[in-house]
Amino acid sequence: KSNKMFPKLNETKLKTPESKSDYLGAGAHTVEIRKFKTSDEVPGYQGTPYTEFMVGNDEGIAFLKFSGVDSHTSEAAAKVRTEIFKSFLISAGATTFQDPHMACNSIINKKIEVCLAKREYWTTDKDTNNPEIKTRVEYKFANPFGSKITFKDSYNKPMSAEDRQKYEQAVSLSTSGSNDNVEVPF
């Protein structure tokens, strides 16, 4: 009684949205909200609390991270963070906000229009210790499903002149001593 038309149907593994490895780039995307997690679910996490949604479409996935509020957050920042989060929830169709977790659960599998933008920053490579410029794609804003977003290049954030100067200083410091091959005792 083997099935010749679809051999190994039972054992066949499909690519799930979670196993799809392409990430959405900067731009306007129609996505489905697939799941969310909060920093409470990350063992030993000590930083600023956050809620992160995984969204995706046929082209890939994106993680939208919303920073919460802790004892170090200014009142102004707390207001802005809460407004950004509530605006996202409303765009996704949430209608009740008594409990943030329930509000997040209520929008799973909903479609939404999101704007993602590139942010440029510099960091020190942990293997080589050399300064390097990186870009990260971040959530900018959302519209309700069907209310298309027109992406503008101005949404992308290149590194500030001040940061670029700090990067250049770090580069000159890291290259000036690199010919000496001095062993640093730790």
Side-chain angles (χ1 to χ4, degrees):
K1 278 193 172 174
S2 76
N3 189 338
K4 287 186 176 60
M5 193 185 296
F6 299 106
K8 296 199 167 96
L9 182 63
N10 194 33
E11 305 88 83
T12 299
K13 294 261 187 285
L14 297 179
K15 275 200 165 179
T16 63
E18 282 76 22
S19 71
K20 195 172 172 108
S21 62
D22 296 333
Y23 289 94
L24 298 172
H29 305 278
T30 303
V31 294
E32 182 183 81
I33 299 165
R34 298 198 169 141
K35 59 184 180 181
F36 78 98
K37 74 171 186 189
T38 67
S39 51
D40 299 343
E41 298 167 54
V42 181
Y45 180 78
Q46 296 290 315
T48 304
Y50 66 86
T51 295
E52 183 179 70
F53 292 90
M54 180 211 256
V55 300
N57 58 28
D58 292 343
E59 287 147 42
I61 59 171
F63 291 92
L64 314 182
K65 193 172 191 174
F66 296 88
S67 291
V69 172
D70 62 15
S71 58
H72 308 289
T73 311
S74 72
E75 210 172 301
K79 184 177 189 293
V80 169
R81 288 178 189 176
T82 304
E83 284 171 358
I84 289 169
F85 186 60
K86 186 166 186 179
S87 168
F88 173 78
L89 290 171
I90 288 171
S91 291
T95 53
T96 172
F97 308 98
Q98 296 303 314
D99 175 342
H101 211 266
M102 280 172 59
C104 292
N105 266 328
S106 76
I107 62 173
I108 297 299
N109 299 325
K110 296 270 193 345
K111 282 190 160 46
I112 188 170
E113 310 290 338
V114 296
C115 177
L116 304 178
K118 273 197 303 224
R119 184 172 66 82
E120 197 180 41
Y121 63 101
W122 75 273
T123 183
T124 306
D125 181 284
K126 59 180 177 291
D127 300 323
T128 65
N129 247 347
N130 290 335
E132 61 180 359
I133 295 176
K134 290 188 166 185
T135 58
R136 171 182 286 152
V137 174
E138 295 176 328
Y139 169 79
K140 196 93 176 135
F141 65 90
N143 279 352
F145 176 59
S147 181
K148 290 277 186 216
I149 293 170
T150 305
F151 185 78
K152 297 183 185 84
D153 242 1
S154 60
Y155 293 151
N156 291 326
K157 263 183 76 176
M159 217 169 13
S160 68
E162 190 185 338
D163 279 346
R164 192 163 289 280
Q165 202 174 359
K166 288 178 185 164
Y167 167 76
E168 301 296 346
Q169 284 172 342
V171 167
S172 64
L173 287 172
S174 74
T175 52
S176 65
S178 63
N179 303 334
D180 311 343
N181 288 334
V182 177
E183 288 295 315
V184 181
F186 281 105

